[in-house]
Amino acid sequence: MAQTAKKDEKQYQLYRDALNLFAEYGYKKTTVADVADRLGMTKGNIYFYVKNKKELYHRTIHWALTQWQDHVRSAVAGQTTAPDRFNAMAEAALGYIEGNKVFRRLLIRDPEIFTLDRDRDRFPEANRAARQIIRDILDQGIREGAFTVRDPEAATEYLFSIYMMFLIQTFVYLDKKDFRRIFASALALNLGGLSSPRPPKETSHDRCHVKGP
Amino acid sequence: MAQTAKKDEKQYQLYRDALNLFAEYGYKKTTVADVADRLGMTKGNIYFYVKNKKELYHRTIHWALTQWQDHVRSAVAGQTTAPDRFNAMAEAALGYIEGNKVFRRLLIRDPEIFTLDRDRDRFPEANRAARQIIRDILDQGIREGAFTVRDPEAATEYLFSIYMMFLIQTFVYLDKKDFRRIFASALALNLGGLSSPRPPKETSHDRCHVKGP
DNA sequence: AATTGAACAAATGACCTAAAAGTTCAATTT
DNA sequence: AAATTGAACTTTTAGGTCATTTGTTCAATT
């Protein structure tokens, strides 16, 4: 049941315009009539595209999350080794929002878009895909011998939580003060751990490859 | 201005009883008269000990946090090496709440006791002390050559956030499902990092001590 | 110093109502 | 047929009133 190209185009406009309005005024203060006005139609016609306001909101945000994820995936694809991909993923994921004012506003209006509570996750599909990006990099690293991970599933869950935590602290709570500095610490810790020894160089590649005692 | 021993004792009772009531009914549903009744006094007399209900609540929780921290500190003191202390701290901090039904109830009634948002932290003093516990272990580990940490202040902040995250996920959101499993992953990752090489043994001590290339 | 109890002040919840916003749909346009 | 309109309809919300509960004060008492 393929949609018409025209409907696809209209839907794109709908999500884009709705996103801007929801980001500016929040869910409650944005009326269906506001969205219709912005698109040059009447509010009744919105219901030709979505079944109600709630669905409009949800689809709009899901669409925004999807765009963001595509950006991350292409950044990851631009690297080859697992550690490089890990860094690229982290940088792309956080950097994208850093540079996206509309998305940041949206998060302030609706801080629960990102949550650490799986039961209250309103975008489980998008977040499953996000976990998969992490998981793929871990698996590659293990396969190629660059990473040592005992329980990849648990590690993925843990890393995803840290990623959520960073998003929430930085873009919801606006604790940006030392964002980059703590982010760097987090990357170093996740790649190398607390434990010595490690040469005091950052570039994460040339590492001691001696087997344990 | 030393208080009388009698007043100290009454204060202890006050906090203990108030804690139980707040945990059972929450802040709103617990009346000042309820607390007074439990202590066998009249509500007017509560105001001899605290200046208002809000202060009673805050002091009560602060007292509970302090007790918890004392427990963690003594668990840490029971170990000697930094990695052992790190593990002991993590286990004591999470384990204490795991076994404390009243505290867990309180968290469900008032989920914002723990927050990732420094601006909304109602117990900054207690949390500063908690960070200090982490920091002291990191410093010891660095001093003794067991840990390699480029920026201890940022690392402390990061580790404290992870600790908060675990508390929130496990005891506020009740995502206990894989708590222990992910907790183990987190400890392993923080001590050893993702990167190979590391012998496939868990006990975190006997590690490769060869200097980098 | 610690406690009481009555008096007073502030906060809450229930109820009401008018306005605003969400939703439907038969008719109309593209 | 797909897309759109606009009026009718339903649901939600914001604001106001009011009785009741709860929080707070304080002069008197132990």
Side-chain angles (χ1 to χ4, degrees):
Chain A
M1 244 177 268
Q3 292 182 75
T4 65
K6 198 175 168 189
K7 188 164 181 179
D8 273 354
E9 171 62 13
K10 272 273 168 179
Q11 274 197 344
Y12 169 82
Q13 290 175 9
L14 175 61
Y15 294 147
R16 187 200 53 195
D17 289 349
L19 186 68
N20 278 300
L21 284 166
F22 285 134
E24 191 165 9
Y25 301 112
Y27 178 78
K28 258 177 60 177
K29 291 283 187 190
T30 302
T31 68
V32 175
D34 287 339
V35 180
D37 283 354
R38 173 83 48 114
L39 286 154
M41 51 172 74
T42 57
K43 62 178 179 174
N45 196 31
I46 296 286
Y47 292 83
F48 180 73
Y49 295 96
V50 292
K51 80 169 197 290
N52 55 31
K53 186 186 177 184
K54 222 171 165 183
E55 185 185 288
L56 171 61
Y57 188 67
H58 193 273
R59 280 187 135 80
T60 297
I61 294 179
H62 190 272
W63 173 81
L65 292 173
T66 301
Q67 290 208 137
W68 173 29
Q69 236 165 55
D70 290 346
H71 171 82
V72 173
R73 253 189 292 267
S74 83
V76 168
Q79 301 295 322
T80 47
T81 73
D84 284 347
R85 286 189 157 169
F86 190 84
N87 280 312
M89 170 187 68
E91 175 56 36
L94 282 288
Y96 180 85
I97 301 196
E98 216 179 5
N100 190 329
K101 204 164 182 170
V102 172
F103 206 122
R104 283 186 348 244
R105 259 204 134 93
L106 187 76
L107 284 176
I108 291 165
R109 295 261 171 238
D110 183 358
E112 311 227 311
I113 289 172
F114 293 148
T115 178
L116 287 166
D117 186 355
R118 284 190 90 147
D119 289 344
R120 272 173 222 159
D121 180 7
R122 289 137 67 198
F123 305 95
E125 197 187 325
N127 287 326
R128 206 174 310 119
R131 283 181 176 87
Q132 194 57 50
I133 297 175
I134 298 173
R135 181 61 190 267
D136 287 345
I137 295 173
L138 285 193
D139 284 346
Q140 181 194 346
I142 295 164
R143 205 182 317 116
E144 295 175 354
F147 292 164
T148 301
V149 177
R150 200 171 301 276
D151 182 344
E153 193 178 319
T156 298
E157 202 51 48
Y158 173 63
L159 291 168
F160 180 76
S161 294
I162 291 177
Y163 148 84
M164 271 288 175
M165 182 188 80
F166 259 107
L167 291 174
I168 292 170
Q169 284 193 327
T170 308
F171 300 112
V172 177
Y173 298 152
L174 305 174
D175 251 342
K176 305 198 77 158
K177 217 179 349 91
D178 291 328
F179 161 52
R180 281 284 168 193
R181 192 172 147 215
I182 295 173
F183 183 54
S185 246
L187 272 177
L189 251 138
N190 279 320
L191 283 167
L194 285 169
S195 298
S196 298
R198 205 145 39 83
K201 298 181 63 186
E202 190 45 34
T203 40
S204 78
H205 293 295
D206 39 20
R207 205 173 293 293
C208 144
H209 273 274
V210 179
K211 286 273 184 282
Chain B
M1 246 176 268
Q3 292 179 75
T4 67
K6 197 175 168 190
K7 188 164 181 179
D8 271 355
E9 171 60 14
K10 272 273 167 178
Q11 274 196 344
Y12 169 81
Q13 289 174 10
L14 175 60
Y15 293 149
R16 185 200 54 195
D17 289 349
L19 186 69
N20 278 301
L21 284 166
F22 285 135
E24 190 166 8
Y25 301 113
Y27 178 78
K28 259 176 61 176
K29 291 281 186 192
T30 302
T31 68
V32 175
D34 287 340
V35 180
D37 283 354
R38 171 87 43 120
L39 285 154
M41 51 172 75
T42 57
K43 60 180 179 171
N45 196 32
I46 296 285
Y47 291 83
F48 180 73
Y49 295 96
V50 293
K51 79 170 200 287
N52 55 34
K53 185 185 178 185
K54 223 172 164 182
E55 186 187 288
L56 171 62
Y57 187 67
H58 193 272
R59 278 188 137 81
T60 298
I61 294 178
H62 189 272
W63 173 80
L65 292 173
T66 300
Q67 289 209 137
W68 173 29
Q69 238 165 53
D70 290 346
H71 172 82
V72 173
R73 253 189 293 267
S74 83
V76 168
Q79 301 295 323
T80 47
T81 73
D84 283 348
R85 286 189 157 168
F86 190 84
N87 279 313
M89 170 187 68
E91 176 56 35
L94 282 288
Y96 180 84
I97 302 198
E98 216 178 6
N100 189 327
K101 206 164 183 172
V102 173
F103 206 123
R104 282 187 346 246
R105 260 206 135 92
L106 187 76
L107 283 176
I108 290 163
R109 296 260 171 239
D110 183 358
E112 310 226 313
I113 289 172
F114 293 148
T115 177
L116 288 165
D117 186 356
R118 285 190 89 149
D119 288 345
R120 270 174 225 161
D121 180 7
R122 289 139 64 199
F123 305 96
E125 196 189 326
N127 286 326
R128 205 173 313 118
R131 283 181 176 89
Q132 193 58 49
I133 297 175
I134 298 173
R135 181 61 191 267
D136 288 344
I137 296 173
L138 285 195
D139 284 346
Q140 181 194 347
I142 294 164
R143 205 182 320 117
E144 296 174 353
F147 292 164
T148 302
V149 178
R150 200 172 300 277
D151 182 344
E153 192 179 320
T156 299
E157 200 54 42
Y158 174 63
L159 291 169
F160 179 77
S161 294
I162 291 176
Y163 149 83
M164 270 287 175
M165 182 187 81
F166 260 106
L167 292 174
I168 293 171
Q169 283 192 330
T170 308
F171 301 112
V172 177
Y173 297 153
L174 306 175
D175 250 343
K176 305 198 76 156
K177 218 180 346 90
D178 290 329
F179 162 52
R180 281 284 168 192
R181 190 171 151 217
I182 295 173
F183 184 54
S185 245
L187 272 178
L189 250 136
N190 279 320
L191 283 168
L194 286 168
S195 298
S196 300
R198 207 145 41 83
K201 300 181 63 186
E202 190 45 33
T203 39
S204 78
H205 294 296
D206 39 22
R207 205 172 293 294
C208 143
H209 273 275
V210 178
K211 285 274 182 284

